Amino acid sequence: MKDGLVSIITPTYNCGSFIGETIEAVQAQTYSDWEMIIVDDCSTDDTESVVQKYCQDDPRVCYYKMPVNSGTAMARTRAMEIADGQYMAFCDSDDLWTPDKLEKQLFFMKVNGYAFSCTAYEQVDEVGNPLGKVLHPVEKCSYNRLLLDCPVGNSTVMYNVALMGKFRVPDIRKRNDDALWLQMLKKEKYIYGLDEVLARYRIREGSISKNKFKVIKYHWILYRDIEKLSVPRSIFHILYWCIIKVLKIK
């Protein structure tokens, strides 16, 4: 483990149209002590050739390919296994960071003694245009609070590996990031929110996450199979989440 190094965890699949911009947003960081670990889940587009061009010019950008297509959770876990940093940050392969994201978030964590943090983020369309929606983190989010509506953006999360260790991502197709944060909150009491927009989340046409109600079955798997919640409590959390989406609260 290298002191001060931030390992950026980026699973990818068929993201050749977007991943170059994501890498460039990381390269533009004012904090330069990072490694970006891109694990490709056997893309069938030009993702590999796009990433390899950046690897040739910047040794901090590292590319690995899964032996077989295994899903985002497995690719993310593999990247976390490879990571060598004192800190671990997460950035999906079509999302973007502001240039001062790492610097500001690290300062926020160090000055307050936080081991686990996230930030605000805004939604953008496929070409990066703002959609006029900013999602704010709560000041401090516990395990039970995260179960309600997960006020945590995946590409905003950073944690101190030296203090919390490494984790395996629960193997479900969607909501595996939520499942990971829940695992981590069993070890660290809170994830603390920095209420400043430091990331941009791309909303892509046809994505499962865009079609919110297709994700319900993954919530059930998360609550019942992974978190072992009771049937009544699982139903409560799904209904709560559905109401929020219908009313467009979040």
Side-chain angles (χ1 to χ4, degrees):
M1 184 180 298
K2 297 179 181 178
D3 289 347
L5 179 68
V6 179
S7 296
I8 300 163
I9 305 303
T10 304
T12 190
Y13 178 73
N14 285 354
C15 213
S17 298
F18 304 104
I19 196 167
E21 191 176 0
T22 299
I23 294 170
E24 289 171 10
V26 171
Q27 290 178 316
Q29 291 298 300
T30 54
Y31 185 86
S32 61
D33 191 8
W34 52 262
E35 61 176 0
M36 187 176 191
I37 302 173
I38 299 170
V39 174
D40 186 351
D41 194 27
C42 298
S43 293
T44 57
D45 68 353
D46 63 345
T47 293
E48 181 173 1
S49 61
V50 171
V51 175
Q52 289 291 6
K53 291 177 183 177
Y54 290 95
C55 294
Q56 291 170 9
D57 296 330
D58 190 341
R60 297 174 300 177
V61 181
C62 309
Y63 176 85
Y64 300 87
K65 192 168 187 175
M66 296 289 284
V68 295
N69 179 267
S70 305
T72 303
M74 297 295 287
R76 186 172 283 130
T77 292
R78 181 62 184 135
M80 294 173 73
E81 290 171 346
I82 296 167
D84 198 31
Q86 178 184 359
Y87 296 90
M88 205 175 287
F90 298 82
C91 186
D92 281 347
S93 56
D94 54 358
D95 290 344
L96 302 166
W97 286 350
T98 62
D100 54 0
K101 194 265 187 188
L102 290 181
E103 182 179 1
K104 285 188 172 180
Q105 194 167 2
L106 279 169
F107 178 79
F108 172 72
M109 294 173 67
K110 290 177 180 178
V111 75
N112 291 293
Y114 297 153
F116 193 17
S117 74
C118 61
T119 79
Y121 63 99
E122 68 173 340
Q123 294 182 346
V124 299
D125 64 17
E126 285 201 6
V127 296
N129 297 316
L131 293 173
K133 186 171 184 179
V134 172
L135 290 94
H136 300 274
V138 296
E139 183 178 353
K140 59 181 184 179
C141 180
S142 65
Y143 175 92
N144 287 327
R145 176 64 182 83
L146 192 138
L147 279 172
L148 287 176
D149 59 7
C150 192
V152 175
N154 176 70
S155 291
T156 78
V157 173
M158 185 187 299
Y159 84 98
N160 190 323
V161 182
L163 295 178
M164 294 177 61
K166 290 189 175 184
F167 298 83
R168 294 190 63 83
V169 183
D171 189 13
I172 55 175
R173 185 182 174 198
K174 301 299 292 185
R175 318 317 302 177
N176 56 72
D177 49 350
D178 298 356
L180 175 59
W181 316 144
L182 288 168
Q183 296 299 311
M184 295 168 73
L185 284 169
K186 293 172 184 175
K187 187 163 187 178
E188 186 69 20
K189 190 172 183 180
Y190 297 112
I191 177 170
Y192 292 89
L194 171 57
D195 196 8
E196 185 171 347
V197 176
L198 299 179
R200 290 186 286 165
Y201 173 73
R202 201 186 302 264
I203 303 295
R204 294 165 60 185
E205 291 298 324
S207 68
I208 291 179
S209 57
K210 181 177 174 62
N211 299 307
K212 295 295 185 183
F213 291 98
K214 290 184 178 181
V215 185
I216 288 176
K217 68 177 181 179
Y218 297 106
H219 281 274
W220 182 258
I221 294 170
L222 172 60
Y223 298 142
R224 288 290 292 144
D225 296 346
I226 297 176
E227 294 306 308
K228 309 298 183 185
L229 302 185
S230 66
V231 170
R233 191 176 180 190
S234 298
I235 292 172
F236 164 78
H237 282 296
I238 289 174
L239 289 175
Y240 184 95
W241 183 85
C242 289
I243 290 170
I244 285 176
K245 297 308 172 186
V246 168
L247 297 179
K248 298 182 179 179
I249 295 172
K250 185 174 185 293

